[in-house]
Amino acid sequence: MSVIYALDLIGTFVFAISGTLSAANKKLDLFGAFFTGFITAIGGGTLRDLILGNFPVAWISDLNYLLVITLGVIATFLFKNMIMQLKRTLFLFDTIGIGVFTIIGIEKAISLSIHPVLAIIMGLFSAVMGGVIRDTLCNDIPLIFRKEIYAVACIVGGLLFLILKYLHVDPTVNLFVTVICIIVFRLFCIRYKLSLPVLKY
Amino acid sequence: MSVIYALDLIGTFVFAISGTLSAANKKLDLFGAFFTGFITAIGGGTLRDLILGNFPVAWISDLNYLLVITLGVIATFLFKNMIMQLKRTLFLFDTIGIGVFTIIGIEKAISLSIHPVLAIIMGLFSAVMGGVIRDTLCNDIPLIFRKEIYAVACIVGGLLFLILKYLHVDPTVNLFVTVICIIVFRLFCIRYKLSLPVLKY
Amino acid sequence: MSVIYALDLIGTFVFAISGTLSAANKKLDLFGAFFTGFITAIGGGTLRDLILGNFPVAWISDLNYLLVITLGVIATFLFKNMIMQLKRTLFLFDTIGIGVFTIIGIEKAISLSIHPVLAIIMGLFSAVMGGVIRDTLCNDIPLIFRKEIYAVACIVGGLLFLILKYLHVDPTVNLFVTVICIIVFRLFCIRYKLSLPVLKY
């Protein structure tokens, strides 16, 4: 099992947990929670594959994604108090998930000869659209539009990944450097309360 | 005209009515009502076909779907009081629609060699995503996430359908047995107020 | 550069501005504004291309769309007061955008041998779905479902376009006649406060 595949499954697992926690917040039932966890985990990658015309979409041809999501939802139901206390750990895995999803999206786009700038947008879509759909279904304005330099971290990481790729850095090294850069960037912005300007009327 | 095609059109018709009634509830205009009815009726099947890479999507290659939806929307506008009084009949057709959409989704997925577990998810998507999109557009948290064992009925029915299919039961018999099972299951749950557990913080 | 391509880019630019203004209204940050502007501008065409199975979607194979959207978002941030005062001009360009998007959608559908009635629906989707997604993301009921004969203008314009096309009118003449018809129709309805009936319980 390759490193990126393992990280992809970890990211999927963590995204399923985050979706299930959102559902709990809205008092959804077990099905609503499973569905929200599922959409959060596969939404970004599915939309990316649809836009790229890359069929069948990832989770249709590999049952492991569904398995990992199911485990994430069940774990959240069984151990919700413990999970709530693991906020720091969850945050770390969430950031890893974002980083890995960004890079998987870029890699898929590049392999289909998409322009690098659009490849970064595809990476961003992979990383954030699951959460955007989750928030829209739960009747919230997507979190990512309002708080934190979450998306900028993906874009910066994606740029770095592309630059190192064109410099022929070893793919696994590049993956680790980029994901660590995304984590550090995100922590740094949170620590110093950096945020993007807001457009006001 | 095959039985399943006829039931598909009936399901589409009933879903168009349910979408139009939602729109009326939100005081949308005639176009909003038509659009909501249309999306409710074709949303689930369209999303299924997109995910499966099954082009062109069903309603693009067969004008009857659009015709049936238009009739459903107009009927709701003209006879809304009568339709409101037909709640039991509507509920019955709605459940038939769900059952048929579930099975059509499973059949399409199986014919594309999708894993049976994912085929059931495709059946579920066909049956419920139209309503999910309807509720999201109308700014509600999807009904299916909060109330009633609606989705579980699809999953149970889908499982039964697959088992009977692998036992080489006649397709039409299988269709009727499965849809009746879904109806009975749903009515049973409503009668005895069975619902799924809710995850609370 | 053909006339329709130039108008397509203008429409994309104006839609990006309208999305960014919606975002400002909801106090979204720079990323949220960019994302909303982007989705508003490409949402309709992307959904159309997905449904038609027309890959890759338009903005993936032509970087100019992204460029024009970026300019629209930045212009809105820099000159928001001036833009707010240009409401009449914006309204005019918005209507041009709608008209052009309708006709591009119809042309694409016809070129794929879609039935003319469904081609008009594809034209409508191209013109309005960006705004529908924008409003849904911003947690509003889509504007187009409640106010103004915006969608009817697309349908009327689309019908006229198809009739003139079958009468072998020169494409550029047809484009201008249709877009002007859509603008006049829309202005006429707003001037005389014409609106569609609302379905009430």
Side-chain angles (χ1 to χ4, degrees), chain C residues 3-4 8 14 16 26 28 30 48 50 64 75 80 101 104 116 132 142 148 156 160 164-165 172 180 183 191 195:
Chain C
V3 173
I4 201 162
D8 189 12
V14 178
K26 295 283 176 174
L28 305 189
L30 183 56
R48 175 203 63 219
L50 291 183
N64 285 336
K80 59 179 187 287
F101 283 11
I104 293 174
V132 168
E148 218 202 283
V156 169
L160 179 65
L164 295 181
K165 187 181 168 76
T172 310
I180 287 167
I183 295 173
R191 176 74 185 78
S195 63

Side-chain angles (χ1 to χ4, degrees), chain B residues 149 184-196:
Chain B
I149 310 207
V184 171
F185 187 94
R186 194 180 179 195
L187 288 177
F188 182 85
C189 292
I190 289 177
R191 176 74 184 76
Y192 291 99
K193 293 184 177 149
L194 298 179
S195 63
L196 287 172

Side-chain angles (χ1 to χ4, degrees), chain B:
Chain B
M1 192 163 68
S2 75
V3 173
I4 201 162
Y5 182 61
L7 288 176
D8 190 13
L9 290 180
I10 292 175
T12 304
F13 180 74
V14 177
F15 273 40
I17 292 177
S18 104
T20 312
L21 289 176
S22 286
N25 214 4
K26 295 282 176 176
K27 301 196 173 92
L28 305 189
D29 67 19
L30 183 57
F31 173 75
F34 183 86
F35 195 91
T36 314
F38 183 74
I39 294 284
T40 308
I42 58 99
T46 302
L47 194 66
R48 175 203 61 218
D49 286 344
L50 291 184
I51 288 174
L52 293 176
N54 190 29
F55 298 104
V57 302
W59 59 274
I60 281 286
S61 44
D62 179 355
L63 214 59
N64 285 338
Y65 290 98
L66 182 63
L67 187 68
V68 156
I69 293 167
T70 308
L71 289 177
V73 175
I74 293 173
T76 314
F77 259 75
L78 293 182
F79 311 113
K80 60 179 184 288
N81 292 324
M82 205 191 300
I83 284 175
M84 295 304 292
Q85 280 163 6
L86 288 173
K87 270 199 166 170
R88 273 159 191 274
T89 315
L90 263 188
F91 179 83
L92 185 67
F93 280 121
D94 183 47
T95 314
I96 294 174
I98 290 165
V100 174
F101 282 12
T102 304
I103 287 154
I104 293 173
I106 292 175
E107 284 280 23
K108 284 215 178 175
I110 292 289
S111 74
L112 293 163
S113 312
I114 304 295
H115 188 285
V117 171
L118 294 169
I120 290 180
I121 292 187
M122 286 297 100
L124 184 65
F125 267 46
S126 312
V128 310
M129 289 307 284
V132 168
I133 300 172
R134 174 199 65 208
D135 294 341
T136 305
L137 285 179
C138 287
N139 214 357
D140 292 321
I141 290 182
L143 192 66
I144 193 178
F145 294 175
R146 288 171 295 138
K147 242 185 73 181
E148 220 201 281
I149 310 207
Y150 179 110
V152 178
C154 297
I155 295 169
V156 169
L159 264 174
L160 180 66
F161 177 79
L162 275 184
I163 291 168
L164 295 181
K165 187 182 169 75
Y166 289 119
L167 294 175
H168 301 291
V169 170
D170 176 77
T172 311
V173 173
N174 191 353
L175 175 68
F176 276 99
V177 169
T178 311
V179 171
I180 288 167
C181 160
I182 291 176
I183 296 173
V184 171
F185 187 94
R186 194 180 179 195
L187 288 177
F188 182 85
C189 292
I190 289 177
R191 176 74 184 76
Y192 291 99
K193 293 184 177 149
L194 298 179
S195 63
L196 287 172
V198 169
L199 180 60
K200 282 173 218 136
Y201 273 112

Side-chain angles (χ1 to χ4, degrees), chain A residues 18-65:
Chain A
S18 104
T20 311
L21 289 175
S22 286
N25 214 3
K26 294 284 177 174
K27 302 197 174 93
L28 305 189
D29 67 18
L30 183 57
F31 174 75
F34 183 86
F35 195 90
T36 313
F38 184 75
I39 295 284
T40 308
I42 58 99
T46 302
L47 194 66
R48 174 203 62 218
D49 286 343
L50 292 183
I51 289 174
L52 294 176
N54 190 28
F55 297 104
V57 301
W59 58 275
I60 281 287
S61 45
D62 179 354
L63 215 57
N64 284 338
Y65 291 98

Side-chain angles (χ1 to χ4, degrees), chain A residues 47 49-55 114-115 117-118 121-122 124-125 128-129 132-133 136 139-142 144-149 151-152 155 195-201, chain C residues 20-36 38-39 42 46 50 55-57 59-63 66 76-78 80-81 84 136-139:
Chain A
L47 194 66
D49 286 343
L50 292 183
I51 289 174
L52 294 176
N54 190 28
F55 297 104
I114 304 295
H115 188 285
V117 171
L118 294 168
I121 291 188
M122 287 296 101
L124 184 65
F125 267 45
V128 309
M129 289 307 283
V132 168
I133 301 173
T136 306
N139 214 359
D140 293 321
I141 290 182
I144 194 177
F145 294 176
R146 288 171 295 140
K147 243 185 73 183
E148 216 201 284
I149 310 207
V152 178
I155 295 169
S195 63
L196 289 171
V198 170
L199 179 61
K200 283 176 219 134
Y201 273 112
Chain C
T20 311
L21 289 175
S22 286
N25 214 4
K26 295 283 176 174
K27 301 197 173 92
L28 305 189
D29 67 18
L30 183 56
F31 173 76
F34 184 86
F35 195 91
T36 313
F38 184 75
I39 294 284
I42 57 101
T46 302
L50 291 183
F55 298 104
V57 301
W59 58 274
I60 281 287
S61 44
D62 179 354
L63 214 58
L66 182 63
T76 314
F77 260 74
L78 293 182
K80 59 179 187 287
N81 292 324
M84 296 303 293
T136 305
L137 285 179
C138 288
N139 213 357

